[in-house]
Amino acid sequence: MEKVKILGIVGSPRKRGNTAKMMDKAFEAIGDYPWVETDRFEVAGKKIGHCISCYKCMEKLQCVIKDGLYEFHEKFVAADALLWSVPVYHMSVPSQVKALLDRFGNMMIMHHLAQGMDVPRFSKVCGVLTNGASRYGGQDLTLSFLVNSSLVTKGVVVAGDTLVDSYIGAAAWAGQMPNPLAEDNVLQDEHGIACAQNVAKRVAEMARIVKAGKAALGDELPSEYSYTWEAKE
Ligand SMILES: Cc1cc2nc3c(=O)[nH]c(=O)nc-3n(C[C@H](O)[C@H](O)[C@H](O)COP(=O)(O)O)c2cc1C
């Protein structure tokens, strides 16, 4: 079987900050799985505009704003699984992540509905990680947002194990003193990192199961499980 492709999506506008390091640690845990291949999409440094509600995506599966959404779409399509690592911003996700998901989600929903189809059954296995500067700063809400977003985009959401405190994903605290905003504080939260590593393993294992299942079932599956998209001007 082909390797299982896991796309790590780092949703922080700060390059090489806590969110990126939490993803590094999560990927480290699956680094010795010979059947896994990883890729990344980083929000940092990308232009990601807001949805302007023009609904042009109903006609063509494209957004009128040509920016980082295209790279995201291509990487999303190529992946078997998505692992999100996102910082808490104002009790939720950063606006760049919200803008990306507003546009991606609406494009997928409105385009397919306008064409008389349902949203493709992408069945990407999804796991979610977050970190915040406060110990109780909205991590649960941020994880919930990402879980719900994964469901909307027809994902198969997994958590880690309850024994390592992963109820719906991994939450870490990155606000340690003396500098609660330092870029690698998250590494001090060993429990949060262990939880992130556990979620990454579950994502990889479940993605392997889903990929093998799809391959075994082949044409027996409804066509909604197949989806191809090519970037067009
Ligand atoms: C605009 C903004 C809003 C934030 N809101 C919250 C918040 O609501 N709760 C929280 O715990 N931390 C909040 N933080 C802190 C970040 O979540 C925290 O510093 C995180 O580690 C940043 O990740 P990074 O190092 O990848 O940038 C906020 C930070 C910024 C810049």
Side-chain angles (χ1 to χ4, degrees):
M1 197 175 78
E2 269 179 47
K3 286 193 176 190
V4 172
K5 297 186 192 85
I6 303 183
L7 176 62
I9 304 158
V10 181
S12 173
R14 185 153 74 154
K15 272 196 180 121
R16 303 303 311 142
N18 294 287
T19 312
K21 285 166 188 151
M22 195 169 182
M23 180 67 82
D24 293 347
K25 285 286 173 189
F27 271 174
E28 237 176 74
I30 53 173
D32 60 353
Y33 290 0
W35 42 272
V36 160
E37 186 181 308
T38 57
D39 190 11
R40 274 192 189 230
F41 176 85
E42 306 234 2
V43 157
K46 297 216 169 58
K47 279 196 179 145
I48 299 173
H50 299 105
C51 179
I52 54 169
S53 193
C54 68
Y55 286 99
K56 288 279 192 297
C57 55
M58 287 171 81
E59 297 150 34
K60 291 185 179 175
L61 191 60
Q62 293 177 22
C63 180
V64 293
I65 307 167
K66 309 295 179 203
D67 62 9
L69 175 69
Y70 274 72
E71 187 189 332
F72 176 76
H73 191 172
E74 276 187 71
K75 286 181 182 257
F76 176 97
V77 172
D80 297 304
L82 312 176
L83 183 62
W84 289 88
S85 180
V86 170
V88 184
Y89 270 26
H90 202 82
M91 309 297 283
S92 186
V93 297
S95 55
Q96 291 88 340
V97 173
K98 181 66 166 55
L100 185 74
L101 289 168
D102 283 348
R103 286 170 56 213
F104 183 70
N106 220 43
M107 183 169 86
M108 284 299 161
I109 293 168
M110 296 316 298
H111 176 77
H112 288 99
L113 292 186
Q115 307 298 318
M117 296 179 280
D118 206 332
V119 179
R121 295 176 188 163
F122 293 116
S123 307
K124 309 285 178 191
V125 173
C126 299
V128 296
L129 323 174
T130 192
N131 76 97
S134 295
R135 202 186 276 273
Y136 305 104
Q139 282 89 336
D140 261 21
L141 297 168
T142 306
L143 293 177
S144 301
F145 173 86
L146 294 168
V147 164
N148 284 319
S149 160
S150 302
L151 292 172
V152 170
T153 47
K154 301 285 196 280
V156 178
V157 188
V158 296
D161 294 305
T162 319
L163 267 177
V164 298
D165 285 338
S166 175
Y167 268 60
I168 58 171
W173 175 49
Q176 280 86 350
M177 297 303 276
N179 177 4
L181 303 176
E183 294 179 359
D184 54 6
N185 276 345
V186 78
L187 301 177
Q188 291 178 50
D189 182 358
E190 288 176 15
H191 194 70
I193 294 299
C195 195
Q197 295 191 318
N198 183 242
V199 171
K201 285 182 181 175
R202 284 268 292 128
V203 165
E205 289 157 8
M206 188 57 77
R208 194 182 194 193
I209 292 168
V210 171
K211 191 167 178 128
K214 278 186 171 178
L217 292 168
D219 292 344
E220 286 180 50
L221 286 173
S223 59
E224 286 85 351
Y225 285 94
S226 315
Y227 173 80
T228 50
W229 177 81
E230 281 169 26
K232 298 181 197 94
E233 263 313 295

